[in-house]
Amino acid sequence: MDVVTLSRLQFAITIGFHFLFVPLTLGLVILVAIMETLYVKTNDIMYKKMAKFWGKLFIINFALGVVTGITMEFQFGTNWSEYSKYVGDIFGAPLAIEATVAFFLESTFLGVWIYGWDRLSKKLHAFAIWMVALGTNLSAVWIIIANGWMQHPVGYVLRNGRAELVDFMAVVTNKYAWLMFFHTVLSGYVLSAFFVLGISAYHLLRHQHLDFFKKSFRIALIFAIFSSIGVAVLGDLNGSNVADVQPAKFAAMESIWETQQGAPMYLLQIPDEKNEGNRIETLGIPKLTSFLAFKDPNATIKGLKDFPLEERPPVNLTFYAFRIMVGLGVYFILMSFIGWYLQRKNKLLDSRLYLKMMLYSIPLPYIAINLGWVVAEVGRQPWIVYGLMKTADAVSPIPASNVLTTLIGVVVFYTILIVADLYLLVKYAKMGPDFEKPTKIHIDQSTGFQA
């Protein structure tokens, strides 16, 4: 493989591994903050134990996620130096803000939260975890603003052979970035909710700590309902935006080859990229694709054949990643509402099939989120900055053997981290909450007094 392919593969593996940690961090910290806030409001010790238990899992995930993020950012200098030279004036600004503001905010207050139990007032301690939640989500804001600029470049001029920043506010208020942010963050909330639901289901199936995990399940279920619906709404808005500013990506997502007005949506469709068409195309809903794209049933959708061959994204991968992601999104909404119905009817503990499905559903949001990034990044190809710089022009002028060596190192190192993360999460999740054991009182049998 050449240096471009190897560099793309290394970055894809790096961000893929990193994104196994980030989404859980985004949502789980909010759930922990909600639980601790309930403890402050009600003084119910159960909520304190919930915050400690789920907080322990958050800390494990957070610590390992930091390591993978650092490696990813270094690659802009090692593997993508031409990209960094060309657009570093713009791309570097949000990443610098993320590192110097958001990361220090979350890491500082996380230390306060970890070591502040019984040292700070309840309200101040709860404030600390909310600051961690704010910092974690602010990190996502700045990283996605950087990526959103790559998807839809704004606020720049071409000068002296490179892109230079002239309007920072245009970059910060980029519509594409904010739609990506809310869609991505809400996806992380869904993942976190299903993580809590799945672990709670594990213990409920075994009738362990029933009160604890029934409350955890209820809180996560409400979170899942609102976030899964939010993902669907933001996904629709994001799809419309993609159709507007990245029409080639949208055409690949829907496997539309011919430009057409009032484009239908086919429920059963199999692309044939080699022959520039679809092998199967049936069960069409008239004009639905045009309506979803532009909220106009008679809108024109530009087909892939109207784009030069060298500027078309890989259709099969983009199409199937998008369809599976959407299907999983529908599944998350359905399972959330089924859980709400079962809880309302007080039938949750009797619904062992549903609880087993929730347990086995823990990996599915991870799959859905990474498929979403496949759509976003593969669908943008061959551009690294859409319409401005191609991926092939962005790599560092280094031998392919160097990239191959570091690629092997990254795979080995990240695999060790993932195994460690899974081992620790499974170990402490199975252990359940660390309930304090009552102090044993010894009675002296000869006197009848406590000893």
Side-chain angles (χ1 to χ4, degrees):
M1 289 187 283
D2 60 16
V3 66
V4 176
T5 304
L6 286 170
S7 294
R8 288 182 63 189
L9 183 60
Q10 180 168 315
F11 196 81
I13 290 173
T14 304
I15 197 170
F17 272 109
H18 181 60
F19 224 65
L20 292 175
F21 299 98
V22 173
L24 181 59
T25 302
L26 291 172
L28 188 55
V29 67
I30 293 179
L31 285 168
V32 172
I34 290 170
M35 292 167 183
E36 186 164 0
T37 301
L38 289 171
Y39 165 60
V40 172
K41 291 185 66 176
T42 65
N43 207 32
D44 184 344
I45 197 69
M46 182 69 74
Y47 289 118
K48 180 181 179 181
K49 295 180 184 297
M50 288 166 63
K52 282 191 171 185
F53 172 72
W54 297 109
K56 182 184 294 183
L57 301 182
F58 165 75
I59 292 167
I60 293 168
N61 192 78
F62 178 87
L64 293 172
V66 169
V67 179
T68 58
I70 292 172
T71 309
M72 181 177 65
E73 292 191 8
F74 270 114
Q75 290 187 34
F76 292 114
T78 57
N79 293 44
W80 304 98
S81 61
E82 293 301 317
Y83 167 81
S84 298
K85 285 191 289 186
Y86 191 68
V87 301
D89 182 60
I90 305 167
F91 189 78
L95 292 186
I97 295 171
E98 185 274 332
T100 57
V101 178
F103 176 71
F104 280 103
L105 176 67
E106 61 181 320
S107 56
T108 300
F109 276 99
L110 181 59
V112 172
W113 187 78
I114 292 171
Y115 298 106
W117 288 106
D118 303 321
R119 292 181 173 88
L120 301 174
S121 69
K122 291 192 296 184
K123 289 184 179 179
L124 193 56
H125 194 266
F127 174 77
I129 193 63
W130 278 111
M131 287 298 98
V132 177
L134 175 63
T136 301
N137 284 266
L138 275 179
S139 288
V141 167
W142 291 108
I143 290 170
I144 293 178
I145 282 175
N147 186 271
W149 185 85
M150 296 168 67
Q151 302 282 350
H152 181 53
V154 294
Y156 72 96
V157 294
L158 296 178
R159 186 185 296 144
N160 301 320
R162 58 195 297 269
E164 296 184 4
L165 181 65
V166 294
D167 189 348
F168 180 68
M169 288 307 299
V171 176
V172 171
T173 58
N174 187 352
K175 179 183 176 181
Y176 202 111
W178 283 101
L179 288 174
M180 278 186 69
F181 167 73
F182 286 113
H183 187 56
T184 303
V185 167
L186 285 169
S187 299
Y189 296 172
V190 172
L191 183 148
S192 304
F194 271 72
F195 178 82
V196 174
L197 290 168
I199 293 173
S200 299
Y202 171 84
H203 289 279
L204 293 176
L205 283 165
R206 286 155 181 77
H207 290 268
Q208 299 172 166
H209 312 298
L210 290 181
D211 190 34
F212 182 96
F213 285 107
K214 282 170 70 176
K215 287 184 176 180
S216 293
F217 197 96
R218 186 181 305 114
I219 293 170
L221 190 60
I222 295 170
F223 201 54
I225 289 171
F226 284 101
S227 56
S228 60
I229 293 174
V231 167
V233 173
L234 266 296
D236 176 66
L237 295 174
N238 198 33
S240 296
N241 195 47
V242 168
D244 184 36
V245 301
Q246 291 187 355
K249 177 191 287 187
F250 185 83
M253 287 162 55
E254 299 292 349
S255 190
I256 296 174
W257 295 89
E258 304 285 349
T259 297
Q260 51 190 298
Q261 186 178 18
M265 174 174 285
Y266 295 99
L267 300 180
L268 182 58
Q269 192 174 8
I270 298 178
D272 185 356
E273 192 168 357
K274 182 178 179 180
N275 295 309
E276 298 186 319
N278 293 319
R279 190 175 297 113
I280 295 177
E281 206 175 62
T282 187
L283 301 177
I285 303 175
K287 301 187 178 184
L288 183 58
T289 297
S290 289
F291 176 77
L292 292 175
F294 296 107
K295 304 303 177 279
D296 177 2
N298 297 310
T300 299
I301 304 295
K302 190 175 181 180
L304 287 161
K305 289 184 179 180
D306 282 353
F307 296 94
L309 183 62
E310 65 277 8
E311 293 186 5
R312 298 177 194 170
V315 177
N316 285 333
L317 184 54
T318 305
F319 173 83
Y320 286 115
F322 176 68
R323 289 294 173 101
I324 296 171
M325 177 191 69
V326 170
L328 287 172
V330 173
Y331 173 81
F332 301 145
I333 294 173
L334 290 175
M335 292 299 287
S336 298
F337 275 100
I338 291 172
W340 172 79
Y341 171 80
L342 291 173
Q343 274 215 331
R344 188 179 180 188
K345 296 295 183 180
N346 201 27
K347 294 181 179 179
L348 183 63
L349 291 178
D350 298 327
S351 306
R352 295 186 62 82
L353 176 60
Y354 174 78
L355 291 173
K356 287 180 180 179
M357 289 179 68
M358 294 307 295
L359 172 60
Y360 298 134
S361 293
I362 291 177
L364 297 183
Y366 287 95
I367 295 171
I369 285 181
N370 276 282
L371 287 175
W373 278 107
V374 168
V375 175
E377 301 304 308
V378 174
R380 190 180 68 229
Q381 298 305 313
W383 305 99
I384 192 168
V385 181
Y386 194 79
L388 184 62
M389 185 182 199
K390 289 190 174 181
T391 305
D393 300 325
V395 295
S396 301
I398 54 177
S401 57
N402 289 10
V403 183
L404 180 60
T405 301
T406 56
L407 172 60
I408 294 170
V410 164
V411 170
V412 172
F413 177 62
Y414 275 29
T415 300
I416 293 172
L417 287 180
I418 289 294
V419 170
D421 183 59
L422 288 174
Y423 170 76
L424 292 172
L425 288 177
V426 170
K427 175 184 176 180
Y428 287 104
K430 283 185 173 182
M431 285 174 60
D434 184 23
F435 288 104
E436 296 174 3
K437 295 180 181 179
T439 303
K440 292 184 178 180
I441 299 175
H442 176 69
I443 305 296
D444 190 315
Q445 298 298 322
S446 61
T447 64
F449 290 103
Q450 296 179 7

